Amino acid sequence: MRRITVWLLSTVAALVLLFSYKTSTMGVGGESSAIAAGTGGDAGTGPAGTDTGPSGTDADTGSSGTDAGRYDGSVAQTRWGPVQVRITVSGGKITDVTTLRVPDGNHRDQQINDYAVPILRQSALAAQSADIDTVSGATVTSDGYRESLQAAIDAAHL
């Protein structure tokens, strides 16, 4: 009888501990990652001080792919949050890729994106296209990044 009582109490204690454990995806933190907060280039929640036209390009850019300008990709809705990039084009080539939005709902999202976004940026600049590899451990962000990048490239007519 004593063994059954000890076993039952141990099981109840283990279940209480298990259900009270908070995972990294349960709490939405108030802080944002360095990328989403804008502390790494022009990154932020949107273009600051620019007049973005209906096609997702800055109002001062032309429609030709050889014109210099900045082109925003569409917002890719992923299961962890939105992803959006902006490309800068000069001489018909992508000269910069800036991340405007990445998932940043919790600390783990921030860690993943602080690691993955620079790799995705370098890959996009090297490939000059959205045909880039997925960053291991950041599959969802990589997929959203490629989707938004392709939309920006399409807007730039490259």
Side-chain angles (χ1 to χ4, degrees):
M1 186 66 163
R2 178 173 268 199
R3 285 184 185 174
I4 293 173
T5 305
V6 171
W7 175 82
L8 184 61
L9 290 175
S10 299
T11 302
V12 169
L15 287 173
V16 167
L17 289 172
L18 180 66
F19 287 117
S20 66
Y21 180 73
K22 297 198 184 319
T23 64
S24 64
T25 59
M26 290 179 78
V28 176
E31 73 261 5
S32 60
S33 69
I35 294 165
T39 60
D42 289 337
T45 57
T50 60
D51 180 22
T52 303
S55 66
T57 63
D58 288 345
D60 62 343
T61 61
S63 61
S64 170
T66 59
D67 289 341
R70 296 184 299 176
Y71 299 87
D72 292 351
S74 60
V75 177
Q77 293 296 336
T78 70
R79 72 178 184 187
W80 300 120
V83 178
Q84 184 179 23
V85 300
R86 170 186 290 159
I87 62 171
T88 303
V89 177
S90 180
K93 293 192 179 235
I94 300 171
T95 58
D96 193 21
V97 181
T98 305
T99 305
L100 301 177
R101 300 168 106 181
V102 290
D104 65 347
N106 60 58
H107 185 66
R108 184 66 180 140
D109 287 343
Q110 296 165 18
Q111 287 178 325
I112 289 168
N113 293 321
D114 286 346
Y115 167 74
V117 169
I119 295 170
L120 292 166
R121 178 183 178 273
Q122 284 303 110
S123 297
L125 290 172
Q128 290 291 303
S129 74
D131 186 22
I132 57 177
D133 291 334
T134 298
V135 175
S136 179
T139 303
V140 173
T141 298
S142 297
D143 292 344
Y145 194 96
R146 273 194 300 271
E147 182 181 329
S148 184
L149 179 61
Q150 185 60 56
I153 290 169
D154 293 345
H157 303 289
L158 292 179

